[in-house]
Amino acid sequence: EYSMMASHSMMASTIRVPSKYVVPSDDYRWPMILWNYPLGDKCTAVRQKQLYVKGHPLRQQALEEIGFRWSGNATLGWLDVCHAAAIYSQMHGRVLNPPLQFVVPSPPTPDSELDGPWPWPERLWGLKLGQRLKDVRVKGAYLKGPDAHIRKAQLDNLGFVWTPKRGRRKRS
């Protein structure tokens, strides 16, 4: 497991592996033996269940030295949520109302056709933006404390829909 994460670390300064990340096949930056390996699942197990590191402080230290992120995506802060919200808003005509199930995607396979560069930075892949924004609406998440009015204004400027219409969305 360590060598797989170390390989990932060479491609990123901090290891922030999305939970659904699978090592791509035909990507020669990875050893062939790792192609199609569910690295995201393994990293989640390391974080949540201490798989491979419980009772092994040297392993934990080795992971920390290569930038392994122990907190996972659940602790992404306001700036990452705001960044993802800004990208979503720009992609949807300055309307910020993602479906509850919307999760920031990782890029499609290299053979997929895109209309331009991939808009989502790797650190946001796997962020449950739909749920985070629902928590803003329902629970006032991120809207407490001295910066609350600034954050509300940021959301307003992105076209945040504070009271979405009820019922199912029409498929487009």
Side-chain angles (χ1 to χ4, degrees):
E1 306 301 319
Y2 175 79
S3 65
M4 292 168 237
M5 289 185 231
S7 294
H8 187 75
S9 178
M10 287 185 266
M11 293 178 232
S13 60
T14 301
I15 298 179
R16 297 172 77 147
V17 182
S19 60
K20 303 235 184 272
Y21 185 79
V22 175
V23 174
S25 57
D26 299 327
D27 184 342
Y28 290 95
R29 295 177 298 172
W30 292 91
M32 287 178 65
I33 195 165
L34 300 180
W35 289 0
N36 298 313
Y37 185 80
L39 185 58
D41 288 342
K42 296 297 182 180
C43 288
T44 299
V46 168
R47 282 187 199 101
Q48 294 177 355
K49 300 175 186 172
Q50 299 293 301
L51 185 68
Y52 307 116
V53 296
K54 190 172 186 173
H56 298 278
L58 293 177
R59 290 180 182 178
Q60 187 168 348
Q61 181 182 350
L63 289 174
E64 289 168 3
E65 287 173 2
I66 63 169
F68 185 75
R69 199 163 173 248
W70 294 97
S71 58
N73 287 338
T75 59
L76 283 173
W78 170 251
L79 292 177
D80 284 339
V81 171
C82 195
H83 188 182
I87 293 168
Y88 187 94
S89 172
Q90 183 178 15
M91 294 173 72
H92 293 87
R94 308 253 336 130
V95 174
L96 182 55
N97 189 23
L100 176 62
Q101 302 80 13
F102 181 79
V103 175
V104 174
S106 55
T109 59
D111 58 339
S112 299
E113 291 188 30
L114 295 174
D115 292 338
W118 188 246
W120 303 101
E122 184 175 359
R123 74 173 189 280
L124 300 177
W125 299 349
L127 173 66
K128 296 178 180 179
L129 184 62
Q131 180 63 53
R132 294 289 174 95
L133 293 177
K134 178 185 177 200
D135 291 345
V136 168
R137 284 186 193 103
V138 176
K139 301 175 185 176
Y142 304 108
L143 299 179
K144 296 171 178 68
D147 293 335
H149 68 286
I150 295 168
R151 291 176 177 183
K152 185 178 183 307
Q154 287 172 317
L155 290 171
D156 286 338
N157 288 333
L158 294 173
F160 186 58
V161 178
W162 291 94
T163 53
K165 295 178 182 172
R166 292 192 172 274
R168 291 192 167 181
R169 293 174 180 257
K170 292 181 181 178
R171 293 203 178 249
S172 49

